[in-house]
Amino acid sequence: MEAALRDGSLDAGLLAVYGGEASALSKTKERLSALIQTFAKTYGTDREIGLFSAPGRTEMGGNHTDHQRGRVLAAAIDLDMLSCASRNHSSLVRVLSDGYPEIRVDLSTLTPQKREAGTTAALIRGIAARLTEMGYPVSGFDACVTAQVLGGSGLSSSAAFEVLMGVVMNALFCGEELNAVQIAQIGQYAENVFFDKPCGLMDQLASSVGGITAIDFQDPQAPAVEKLNGTPADFGYSLCIIDSGADHADLTDEYAAIPREMGAVAAYFHKDVLRQVDFEEFWKQIPEIRKTAGDRAVLRALHFFADNDLVPRQVEKLRSGDFEGFLALVDQSGHSSSECLQNLYCCSHPEAQAVPLTIAAARRLLAGKGAVRVHGGGFAGTVQAYVPFGQEEAFREGMESILGEGRCHFLNIRPGGGSVLA
């Protein structure tokens, strides 16, 4: 495998996954070579190995719409997780990730384990369990993992890991029969049932499919997925994810309140989710809904309807090459998140407003150009900005003078999703 990296025989496949110029491949090949060496030192050399990758993701449209079976626009990014893996002909999975102790999961037990809730082991066990339920002969394997997508970065490291393990097991035990959507759904199942987190499917799909992807969750069992051509760079913009520096800890209740309040509005109409509610009927009933669900629930429902309708308009702007029109809709979505969804800071800690401050600073530095919005779940974490070419360093300097060094991350859209590299 190292010989194939050296002689260039893997270059075409790597370019198809990562995009960019051939000259940019060297760092990826260095990472892969180091990973192979780590695997050999840890698990031995007399093994048939495979190389696998899964990217992080960025949300481009549809903020908190997926859990109401709405529409989203997301993209894979050029920060990823890599794995070198091989079967070990036992029931034991061993995974060694950079900087962490080895994880061991015995697949002779394929039911949720309470002590594992919230751990990486739960995700591995959950993916293996679901594949076994589907009839695939999953067994033990060894894997080394190296990651650019760091936990807590707002770029969905957990989804990248789920997709990575799904791609590994699909290659080792399923004859690569599973498609990208199935791998994403299996990752979501593991996170919901074994990891014990009620996540949606957007993050896993964006990582698994790759590129810029429009997703409609109206049928959650068979989401409509459309992969779009083009990237912000094609139109003269750099994509920047800004770490506000706010802590994600203890925000579970804040996140959970959004689907709960949107669900309360849906329940008024005897529906499960807002996607099933007619907007005009909702609008007529606002006075009564306020009495049963409260004003914030009404505002959050208004955000859902607005952002859900924005996504197909964003898609059309991208299809037609009207990137300035797309950016105007990004800003519109950002204002809706601030004013109606209200996920920029916690009401219980109004003194801590790192996300609104980050957005305000970014808008000032952009001076009417580009666009900026809250990124992902909100309340803490990251902000997304589109910065015109040539202004990146001034933007970075201005933002980091307020937030601290290392807060701005300029990223590229990656064409390939979860992938077998070799």
Side-chain angles (χ1 to χ4, degrees):
M1 195 71 75
E2 285 197 85
L5 283 171
R6 287 193 299 270
D7 67 22
S9 57
L10 296 181
D11 285 7
L14 293 173
L15 279 171
V17 171
Y18 287 90
E21 303 297 326
S23 58
L25 278 180
S26 58
K27 288 185 178 179
T28 299
K29 292 167 73 172
E30 287 172 10
R31 291 174 66 216
L32 288 168
S33 179
L35 189 62
I36 293 169
Q37 292 172 32
T38 299
F39 185 93
K41 290 175 185 176
T42 307
Y43 298 118
T45 56
D46 189 20
R47 308 284 293 272
E48 182 178 344
I49 60 171
L51 298 175
F52 311 90
S53 169
R57 71 94 185 97
T58 183
E59 172 200 291
M60 300 175 73
N63 193 218
H64 279 282
T65 53
D66 58 332
H67 51 71
Q68 298 298 303
R69 299 187 196 170
R71 306 179 184 99
V72 298
L73 186 66
I77 58 170
D78 58 351
L79 297 181
D80 71 343
M81 290 188 178
L82 293 172
S83 179
C84 178
S86 175
R87 295 187 189 203
N88 62 24
H89 306 289
S90 75
S91 65
L92 188 66
V93 175
R94 300 184 294 184
V95 177
L96 180 66
S97 297
D98 286 346
Y100 294 94
E102 183 187 63
I103 296 167
R104 295 191 170 203
V105 180
D106 188 344
L107 299 184
S108 60
T109 300
L110 291 175
T111 55
Q113 304 297 297
K114 267 192 176 181
R115 69 182 185 281
E116 285 181 352
T119 71
T120 302
L123 297 175
I124 296 168
R125 193 183 304 278
I127 293 167
R130 186 71 186 102
L131 289 173
T132 301
E133 287 175 4
M134 295 169 69
Y136 293 105
V138 179
S139 61
F141 62 94
D142 298 324
C144 289
V145 175
T146 185
Q148 294 172 321
V149 191
L150 301 177
S153 65
L155 301 171
S156 292
S157 58
S158 59
F161 182 81
E162 291 159 21
V163 170
L164 182 65
M165 290 295 103
V167 170
V168 167
M169 292 188 219
N170 186 33
L172 295 182
F173 308 111
C174 310
E176 297 188 53
E177 293 180 359
L178 302 174
N179 61 37
V181 174
Q182 289 174 304
I183 289 172
Q185 289 172 325
I186 290 164
Q188 182 198 26
Y189 169 85
E191 191 162 344
N192 290 171
V193 178
F194 284 71
F195 191 87
D196 198 25
K197 180 181 177 182
C199 69
L201 184 59
M202 178 187 73
D203 296 348
Q204 293 89 345
L205 270 176
S207 176
S208 191
V209 173
I212 298 177
T213 309
I215 311 165
D216 189 334
F217 290 107
Q218 187 163 29
D219 180 353
Q221 300 308 312
V225 178
E226 178 187 0
K227 195 167 180 177
L228 304 173
N229 294 321
T231 71
D234 297 333
F235 301 97
Y237 284 89
S238 292
L239 174 65
C240 184
I241 300 299
I242 311 159
D243 180 359
S244 71
D247 190 356
H248 279 91
D250 300 322
L251 291 175
T252 301
D253 290 344
E254 296 283 356
Y255 294 132
I258 293 177
R260 183 174 67 245
E261 291 177 11
M262 288 183 178
V265 176
Y268 176 88
F269 296 94
H270 307 290
K271 304 295 185 182
D272 296 323
V273 292
L274 285 174
R275 185 65 180 274
Q276 300 166 333
V277 176
D278 178 77
F279 175 76
E280 295 302 329
E281 286 302 311
F282 159 77
W283 185 258
K284 290 176 187 175
Q285 296 297 324
I286 284 178
E288 292 302 314
I289 299 170
R290 293 178 66 191
K291 297 175 186 176
T292 61
D295 289 347
R296 191 171 70 170
V298 170
L299 286 167
R300 285 175 163 171
L302 281 169
H303 167 81
F304 167 80
F305 288 117
D307 240 38
N308 193 52
D309 287 345
L310 275 184
V311 171
R313 293 167 59 195
Q314 288 180 300
V315 170
E316 187 52 42
K317 295 295 184 185
L318 290 175
R319 282 200 198 111
S320 67
D322 180 9
F323 201 72
E324 295 299 324
F326 168 79
L327 292 177
L329 296 178
V330 171
D331 271 333
Q332 192 173 326
S333 172
H335 286 297
S336 179
S337 290
S338 173
E339 296 160 13
C340 294
L341 186 59
Q342 300 178 37
N343 68 330
L344 270 58
Y345 67 93
C346 303
C347 293
S348 58
H349 298 286
E351 74 284 356
Q353 298 198 22
V355 171
L357 175 60
T358 301
I359 290 173
R363 283 198 178 122
R364 177 172 175 78
L365 290 167
L366 289 170
K369 299 177 181 177
V372 62
R373 68 193 282 270
V374 66
H375 183 245
F379 301 110
T382 56
V383 166
Q384 180 188 74
Y386 295 85
V387 182
F389 278 178
Q391 297 183 23
E392 292 92 343
E393 286 312 308
F395 184 82
R396 184 199 304 273
E397 183 179 338
M399 292 303 304
E400 294 188 352
S401 69
I402 296 171
L403 301 175
E405 291 185 11
R407 298 294 188 182
C408 287
H409 306 281
F410 286 95
L411 307 174
N412 294 306
I413 304 299
R414 160 175 151 157
S419 302
V420 177
L421 301 179

